[in-house]
Amino acid sequence: MIRIDNIKLPVGHTEEDLKNRIKKLLKRDDYRFVRILRRSLDARKKNDIHYNYSVLVELDKNEEKTVKFINNKNVMLTKSKKYSFPFKKSSEDEDGSSIINNAFEDIKEALIDAGDRPVIIGSGPAGYFAATVLADNGFRPIVIERGRPVEERKKDVESFWETGDLNEDSNVSFGEGGAGTFSDGKLNTGNKDKDGLFAYIFETFHKYGAPETVTYEAKPHIGTDVLIDIMKNMRKNILDKGGNILFDSKLVDVILQHDDSYILEIEGKNGTFEINAKNVILAIGHSSRDSFKMLYDRGFPMEQKPFAIGLRIEHPRRMIDVDRYGEELADKLPAADYKLTYHAENGRAVFSFCMCPGGYVVNASSVKGHMTVNGMSDSRRDSDNSNAAIVVSITPEDIKGDEPLDAVSFQEALERSFFDAGEGLIPVQRFGDFAAGRKTTELGAVKPVTKGKISLSELKSCLPEYVSDAIIEGISYFGTRIEGFDSEDAILSGIESRTSSPVRIIRNEKLQAEGFPGVFPCGEGAGYAGGITSAAADGIRCAERVAERILEGL
């Protein structure tokens, strides 16, 4: 096959324009178009905004001779990288373990023996992709999820935004799909796709309902509205392939047995039950603080890790679009994004995180008496505002105490402070008031676009001084990069405290927790991922090791 990079096409081009450009580059028209590998929008120069394509094509013969004849560094021979799960369990190789009813409504056994079936704790990107590849290859996984199915979870979340009545197990952080379901659905990652795994993840999302564009856009985005249907489709596949999913079921204890199996104590909606398992994937998510404590008390090795905290900032979507594209194209292109970084005078890194074009700031609290916010966009990205987190790096040296969970306590104290500042509602403040250290009493030109009710507040005193100083300095600098970014009327809200897990569950080269053979800490909660795509990839890698271990008979 032949790969062609850097095909430059104007805004408004057609598919025929792309094919004609390929024909011109190849100097022949007898090619077969295979697929788009990548499409990106280059908006660095307003007088030359264009799309860049990388594509894959085939010729019937003479591909090598054609590439040599063209002598263009953007036209090259290539082999398509395609990921496939390396292990398969024969359908005839059943282990005789007890089968849990897919309806999982009436679990009456005091102890369920999973046999060789892997047990996955959590149904976020890490857990569901692990479950998907295991189910597709005959391993019949059992998924344990503390929250509810995504349809019911959506009702719980919307009720919370309207009434403030929080379900601590079914919210923006917990439930089918994990935190990513109510956090925009961005799939971009800065890592290289060396073995085709990321492409497989994007194709899987497309298979279960995402638009085909996620397979080739440089910054693929699904949207919360579409993700909800994708989660339902992934669930159906897992169940159809012999897996089981137990919602409203929270892991409350892990007990190592003398034979290196585990008793998993599960708190279900109909009472407590136990599962005996040999292989467990812990995809618990970055907000499972009660699970962190339980695992730490049980002896699982953990360490603090760097993370970031800060505030959400909102601007009018059109202001961002005009700055990035210019007036002429602002209404003809998708809502614009940005990525901003700054090194503050106090040595802190300040950067934008989880930018949501045409999105919402959402109340993402998962604990009563705590406040945390996040950003979300639907697939259309057409709300009045665009928002992003402006966050500041936090290192273990900033945490009082050396115990791993001291980092969690640091987050919790800040979240309580922001809850008090907003009297239980999303606390918001104009940037001008934040910089001056005074409470906001009235809004200016920018009106918040939120999921959850707001309260005009004072936020600066809720943050460590080194964080608030760095945010002020960073936003002022970002105003030199995007006109109006540092407007006094820009809206801040907080706290953005869960950019990633503050702890890491230590695992060995086989991806198993040190001292706990057969237990695989996985994804964002375990400290090994940062976003939907990397969490899904880590889930698949852990699933590979689980499958290998099962087939070896360990």
Side-chain angles (χ1 to χ4, degrees):
M1 282 186 284
I2 296 175
R3 175 177 177 136
I4 308 175
D5 290 332
N6 294 320
I7 302 175
K8 181 177 173 180
L9 290 170
V11 173
H13 67 272
T14 66
E15 183 178 337
E16 194 64 27
D17 293 331
L18 174 61
K19 291 181 177 179
N20 285 335
R21 187 63 58 85
I22 294 170
K23 184 192 304 183
K24 185 175 181 180
L25 285 165
L26 291 178
K27 298 179 172 56
R28 53 193 294 180
D29 58 9
D30 59 336
Y31 69 87
R32 285 191 303 279
F33 183 84
V34 177
R35 60 189 171 97
I36 298 171
L37 294 172
R38 181 180 173 88
R39 180 177 71 179
S40 61
L41 179 64
D42 188 339
R44 289 173 294 178
K45 298 178 181 178
K46 291 189 183 67
N47 62 350
D48 184 27
I49 295 177
H50 60 274
Y51 283 93
N52 271 327
Y53 282 85
S54 293
V55 301
L56 201 63
V57 300
E58 280 184 332
L59 302 178
D60 285 332
K61 58 183 179 179
N62 297 329
E63 286 190 340
E64 185 174 359
K65 183 183 290 187
T66 297
V67 169
K68 286 182 178 180
F69 174 74
I70 293 170
N71 192 27
N72 184 328
K73 65 179 182 180
N74 292 316
V75 181
M76 66 206 80
L77 292 173
T78 187
K79 292 182 179 179
S80 181
K81 295 177 292 186
K82 193 169 182 64
Y83 172 81
S84 62
F85 194 72
F87 304 100
K88 192 169 184 68
K89 190 174 184 183
S90 169
S91 58
E92 299 176 357
D93 183 23
E94 293 295 346
D95 52 31
S97 62
S98 62
I99 297 176
I100 303 170
N101 188 315
N102 276 345
F104 57 80
E105 293 295 340
D106 299 305
I107 298 173
K108 301 187 184 302
E109 296 92 340
L111 177 66
I112 297 169
D113 183 7
D116 279 343
R117 296 178 65 183
V119 177
I120 300 167
I121 310 299
S123 67
Y128 252 24
F129 269 84
T132 295
V133 294
L134 288 167
D136 285 346
N137 290 280
F139 291 90
R140 302 170 60 231
I142 301 169
V143 180
I144 308 296
E145 169 55 54
R146 69 190 293 165
R148 306 176 75 188
V150 72
E151 313 94 306
E152 298 171 36
R153 179 188 179 197
K154 181 175 183 287
K155 294 176 184 176
D156 292 335
V157 169
E158 291 175 344
S159 175
F160 168 60
W161 286 337
E162 179 61 32
T163 68
D165 185 13
L166 176 66
N167 182 332
E168 292 190 310
D169 289 318
S170 181
N171 48 58
V172 170
S173 292
F174 298 133
E176 185 177 31
T181 302
F182 289 90
S183 181
D184 204 54
K186 285 181 286 293
L187 304 183
N188 45 299
T189 175
N191 299 324
K192 296 286 187 182
D193 193 14
K194 296 180 180 178
D195 54 6
L197 182 55
F198 293 157
Y200 168 81
I201 291 167
F202 301 152
E203 288 162 6
T204 301
F205 274 121
H206 173 47
K207 174 182 177 181
Y208 291 113
E212 186 180 9
T213 53
V214 303
T215 66
Y216 58 77
E217 291 286 5
K219 297 178 181 179
H221 166 259
I222 297 176
T224 292
D225 50 338
V226 178
L227 269 168
I228 288 170
D229 287 332
I230 291 171
M231 292 303 106
K232 291 189 287 187
N233 294 335
M234 291 184 76
R235 179 208 313 163
K236 182 178 185 302
N237 175 69
I238 293 166
L239 297 176
D240 288 347
K241 299 288 178 59
N244 300 97
I245 305 170
L246 282 67
F247 295 107
D248 293 299
S249 300
K250 180 165 64 176
L251 175 72
V252 294
D253 207 353
V254 178
I255 304 168
L256 177 61
Q257 304 295 290
H258 62 84
D259 62 350
D260 285 346
S261 69
Y262 297 88
I263 297 295
L264 307 177
E265 186 176 329
I266 310 295
E267 196 175 86
K269 61 183 177 181
N270 295 324
T272 300
F273 61 96
E274 295 177 335
I275 298 177
N276 181 245
K278 299 174 185 176
N279 294 281
V280 182
I281 294 177
L282 292 175
I284 57 178
H286 60 42
S287 294
S288 296
R289 293 164 176 171
D290 50 357
S291 298
F292 292 151
K293 185 178 186 308
M294 178 273 291
L295 294 168
Y296 187 65
D297 289 344
R298 277 298 181 186
F300 280 77
M302 297 183 186
E303 62 185 2
Q304 294 183 20
K305 61 175 280 293
F307 57 104
I309 62 169
L311 303 171
R312 283 265 152 190
I313 189 166
E314 291 182 75
H315 301 93
R317 171 169 56 92
R318 182 164 176 80
M319 185 200 93
I320 301 296
D321 293 350
V322 168
D323 182 89
R324 308 315 270 168
Y325 302 144
E327 284 281 357
E328 185 179 343
L329 294 177
D331 297 322
K332 299 178 181 178
L333 288 168
D337 65 0
Y338 57 77
K339 185 175 183 180
L340 302 167
T341 61
Y342 178 71
H343 193 76
E345 289 184 4
N346 64 10
R348 300 283 168 170
V350 187
F351 54 97
S352 61
F353 173 80
C354 186
M355 195 271 157
C356 299
Y360 307 86
V361 172
V362 306
N363 186 337
S365 302
S366 60
V367 180
K368 292 177 181 177
H370 291 223
M371 172 58 63
T372 186
V373 297
N374 204 343
M376 182 187 92
S377 296
D378 285 331
S379 56
R380 297 180 303 278
R381 287 181 161 178
D382 60 356
S383 85
D384 289 341
N385 287 358
S386 291
N387 73 77
I390 304 299
V391 295
V392 176
S393 57
I394 301 294
T395 67
E397 289 72 32
D398 296 314
I399 307 300
K400 292 181 180 179
D402 298 326
E403 294 295 321
L405 298 186
D406 290 335
V408 174
S409 298
F410 175 86
Q411 285 180 323
E412 290 176 328
L414 290 169
E415 291 174 9
R416 287 192 293 268
S417 179
F418 275 80
F419 182 89
D420 293 341
E423 298 181 332
L425 307 179
I426 299 172
V428 303
Q429 187 175 23
R430 294 169 61 252
F431 173 61
D433 292 333
F434 179 81
R438 60 176 177 258
K439 181 178 179 178
T440 289
T441 56
E442 61 179 358
L443 297 171
V446 185
K447 302 298 187 287
V449 178
T450 65
K451 297 289 188 178
K453 297 177 181 179
I454 67 166
S455 173
L456 302 183
S457 306
E458 189 279 307
L459 306 181
K460 188 176 180 182
S461 63
C462 299
L463 290 167
E465 187 174 351
Y466 59 83
V467 173
S468 57
D469 287 350
I471 287 175
I472 293 168
E473 196 178 323
I475 290 174
S476 298
Y477 170 76
F478 297 152
T480 69
R481 313 301 297 170
I482 297 177
E483 185 177 355
F485 198 93
D486 58 346
S487 163
E488 290 197 349
D489 285 342
I491 294 295
L492 300 176
S493 57
I495 180 175
E496 178 91 19
S497 56
R498 304 187 191 178
T499 55
S500 66
S501 176
V503 299
R504 178 178 290 113
I505 305 173
I506 299 171
R507 66 189 189 188
N508 59 28
E509 70 280 356
K510 294 183 178 180
L511 309 188
Q512 299 173 49
E514 291 286 357
F516 293 84
V519 177
F520 298 79
C522 182
E524 280 207 46
Y528 294 97
I532 292 174
T533 304
S534 60
D538 199 54
I540 293 170
R541 293 302 187 206
C542 286
E544 290 175 350
R545 300 286 72 79
V546 165
E548 181 180 41
R549 194 169 190 268
I550 289 172
L551 294 177
E552 289 176 351
L554 296 177

